[in-house]
Amino acid sequence: MLAGASGQPAPKEEAVVSCGVWIYFDLFFFTGMHLSKKCSAFKVVLSALLIVALLQLIYLSFLSKFHGKQQRYRYSELFGGSAAKKNAQPEKNTRKERLRYSLSTGGIFDSSGQYRVYKNLIKSDFTTNQISGSDLNSNVLALATHTTINNLHHLESLLERWQNPLSVAIFAHGDDVKFATALVYALSFFCPHIQALVDFHLVCLSEEMASFPEQDREHFVGLEDCPSVYSRLETHRDKYKNYDINGNVSYPNNLLRNIARSGTESSYILVIDMDMMPSADLHQQFLTMVMKRQPTSDEVFVLPAFEIRHARKIPANKAELVQLYQVGEVRPFYEELCPRCQAPTNYSQWVNNHVRGTGTLEVAYTLTWVDPWEPFYIGPRTVPLYNENFKQYGFNRISQACELHVAGYKFSVLSSAFVVHRGFKIQGEFHARKDEENKHNRVLFRSFKEGLKAKYPSSMRRC
């Protein structure tokens, strides 16, 4: 009932209607406010996300500019002009100027006139500062090795194992001359252990010249520390085999061995290929041995040579090596290609030879050289040089071992030292001209042996 008899609204019904209206109004008002608050919160979150994204873009832009500036600074530090010299450390400037001077000489030609040699392109701190009293022990034995740029990445693990003076002769051809010059300088600049111990020598064809890599900015993008330089070297890994260089260029292995040898002033030298590894602690063990036992001038110390499956870790000592040898993971060097070339080492005798006292190095037995033995050895720096007429594959090391024999040297096999080649040498992995080169060098070897008769007229020994 909407009205009473007198026409006035009934109070109870009026209250109900008023309450309903206000309830409807309240629901509408407060629901609207709630939706408005949700909308405002969404706008705030969206605005915040946009601000964060904008800040990230600004930050990334800053990082990019900073990295570019850092790279330009690094390049300027490496190869910059007078402004960089003012800011650079004195020893860095000295190293830079030594490189400039080495390159400005234009190198020297080898005896054949076919190759240009930059001896001591980069000198180590050891070579530069020798000989102080503290360096005398380190100067007893040095390691000499040779390679192309594609195997130079092995230097890191080789030096980690060796940790003593190391002389490296690098052969480069074509664009690799520029690349090798730049990268060995970057190694000497960024890697303290290389600065301290490694001497680099560069060999190229006589018509090629190395130059200071100021304008070769592309070689240095991303180089900012020692690992980054080794990473760059990895990009050249296995580009070609040492004996299969682009353009049918001959790899002058014996010239490189001689240059690496002559690049050190040590009393004794071990010459190995870059993809080989000596046993651990060899330097200290040899030093201890020669202090106890004075070697004779006509004695070289043979390190039995092995090869190991690529997947295996290089053994550090004889016990580890023998264990792998017994299960076929390690085998004599060149066992598949030329077993006779290493057989005179007498591997069974060496493996079964036990030395009293852990870590003791001594002469296990002494051998007379026989054809066609190609031993790796530590020899005095006075041993005959390698004959540089031998290039490419075949007879390059046996010719030198043959001359040692004719010259009267004896071959003393060390009890627990060894060298290991990374990977098994197998048939079919060599370059196409291997047999042709081997045939050519065999003829050369016959002539070489005849020449030894005239060089050592009083010797009764023959190869």
Side-chain angles (χ1 to χ4, degrees):
M1 186 169 77
L2 295 176
S6 61
Q8 297 294 323
K12 187 174 181 181
E13 284 81 354
E14 183 180 313
V16 171
V17 171
S18 299
C19 184
V21 171
W22 280 106
I23 289 171
Y24 176 79
F25 175 78
D26 286 348
L27 285 171
F28 178 82
F29 177 76
F30 287 111
T31 301
M33 284 186 66
H34 184 63
L35 289 172
S36 177
K37 285 180 180 179
K38 278 189 175 180
C39 184
S40 298
F42 176 75
K43 288 180 180 179
V44 170
V45 171
L46 182 61
S47 298
L49 289 173
L50 288 172
I51 291 170
V52 169
L54 182 61
L55 288 173
Q56 285 181 329
L57 286 172
I58 294 171
Y59 177 67
L60 290 173
S61 177
F62 169 77
L63 278 183
S64 177
K65 289 180 180 179
F66 176 76
H67 183 69
K69 184 177 180 181
Q70 192 177 44
Q71 287 297 313
R72 288 192 296 274
Y73 171 75
R74 280 297 194 186
Y75 185 85
S76 176
E77 190 181 12
L78 277 164
F79 302 112
S82 57
K85 291 181 183 180
K86 293 178 182 179
N87 298 323
Q89 299 174 18
E91 64 271 19
K92 302 291 187 182
N93 276 332
T94 302
R95 186 171 288 106
K96 189 186 304 180
E97 292 309 311
R98 286 204 301 261
L99 174 61
R100 284 186 185 276
Y101 175 76
S102 296
L103 293 169
S104 69
T105 65
I108 58 174
F109 292 139
D110 77 316
S111 59
S112 72
Q114 296 179 344
Y115 300 96
R116 187 185 300 269
V117 178
Y118 294 91
K119 189 176 176 183
N120 291 317
L121 180 72
I122 302 286
K123 284 187 179 182
S124 66
D125 294 339
F126 177 83
T127 300
T128 303
N129 299 328
Q130 69 179 236
I131 305 173
S132 66
S134 61
D135 289 331
L136 286 174
N137 287 345
S138 296
N139 207 42
V140 171
L141 175 62
L143 185 63
T145 187
H146 61 101
T147 183
T148 53
I149 197 72
N150 65 307
N151 264 341
L152 191 56
H153 62 277
H154 289 309
L155 178 62
E156 183 176 23
S157 56
L158 179 60
L159 187 57
E160 183 180 356
R161 169 68 64 92
W162 181 245
Q163 297 184 4
N164 279 282
L166 177 58
S167 180
V168 183
I170 302 170
F171 178 71
H173 169 58
D175 290 340
D176 282 352
V177 177
K178 186 183 296 184
F179 187 82
T181 305
L183 267 292
V184 296
Y185 177 59
L187 283 170
S188 73
F189 188 92
F190 288 121
C191 307
H193 56 303
I194 287 181
Q195 293 173 13
L197 296 170
V198 182
D199 296 319
F200 290 104
H201 322 278
L202 180 65
V203 178
C204 56
L205 297 181
S206 57
E207 61 268 25
E208 299 173 327
M209 289 190 70
S211 58
F212 194 79
E214 281 180 307
Q215 307 305 318
D216 304 323
R217 201 174 284 263
E218 70 274 11
H219 292 317
F220 301 98
V221 175
L223 297 187
E224 51 192 28
D225 53 23
C226 191
S228 66
V229 184
Y230 279 115
S231 294
R232 184 63 53 81
L233 285 171
E234 283 282 348
T235 65
H236 260 57
R237 181 174 185 164
D238 300 326
K239 180 181 176 183
Y240 47 74
K241 301 294 183 183
N242 280 357
Y243 296 140
D244 193 20
I245 302 171
N246 296 340
N248 291 329
V249 174
S250 294
Y251 182 74
N253 32 34
N254 278 357
L255 171 63
L256 295 167
R257 290 182 176 115
N258 287 340
I259 291 168
R261 269 185 51 178
S262 64
T264 173
E265 297 298 325
S266 296
S267 304
Y268 288 87
I269 305 168
L270 169 62
V271 181
I272 60 174
D273 298 342
M274 179 61 82
D275 54 1
M276 303 190 83
M277 185 83 80
S279 50
D281 300 322
L282 173 58
H283 188 278
Q284 183 57 48
Q285 291 174 356
F286 184 79
L287 175 61
T288 302
M289 186 189 80
V290 296
M291 289 177 68
K292 293 179 179 178
R293 173 191 181 278
Q294 184 63 40
T296 60
S297 59
D298 61 349
E299 183 178 26
V300 297
F301 300 95
V302 174
L303 285 72
F306 297 85
E307 52 190 38
I308 188 170
R309 290 191 193 277
H310 271 297
R312 284 292 188 175
K313 180 182 177 182
I314 304 291
N317 54 53
K318 184 174 181 177
E320 293 178 3
L321 181 128
V322 170
Q323 187 176 18
L324 292 170
Y325 180 82
Q326 290 172 339
V327 295
E329 296 298 297
V330 163
R331 66 186 188 185
F333 186 61
Y334 257 47
E335 183 177 64
E336 182 175 327
L337 300 178
C338 182
R340 295 172 59 242
C341 293
Q342 297 297 325
T345 302
N346 198 337
Y347 285 92
S348 60
Q349 182 176 351
W350 185 83
V351 167
N352 293 315
N353 179 269
H354 299 288
V355 182
R356 296 177 183 177
T358 304
T360 301
L361 185 67
E362 58 189 49
V363 171
Y365 48 93
T366 299
L367 299 170
T368 300
W369 182 87
V370 293
D371 187 28
W373 194 21
E374 297 181 328
F376 292 91
Y377 63 85
I378 296 171
R381 60 179 301 102
T382 53
V383 299
L385 294 173
Y386 293 84
N387 187 285
E388 295 174 7
N389 291 320
F390 291 93
K391 304 179 183 71
Q392 291 292 103
Y393 183 86
F395 297 90
N396 49 77
R397 284 195 307 106
I398 190 176
S399 55
Q400 204 252 0
C402 164
E403 180 167 358
L404 290 180
H405 170 66
V406 174
Y409 283 82
K410 59 183 178 181
F411 295 77
S412 298
V413 181
L414 293 177
S415 58
S416 55
F418 56 86
V419 293
V420 179
H421 177 270
R422 305 166 198 260
F424 283 174
K425 291 277 191 180
I426 58 176
Q427 297 285 356
E429 71 170 6
F430 286 90
H431 57 294
R433 294 167 53 218
K434 167 185 171 267
D435 292 339
E436 177 187 339
E437 293 162 2
N438 198 44
K439 183 178 179 180
H440 169 80
N441 284 340
R442 177 175 277 108
V443 174
L444 187 61
F445 184 52
R446 294 193 188 109
S447 174
F448 171 78
K449 290 191 290 185
E450 288 299 314
L452 292 179
K453 295 177 183 178
K455 187 174 181 179
Y456 302 95
S458 61
S459 176
M460 301 300 295
R461 295 183 175 186
R462 295 290 180 264
C463 293

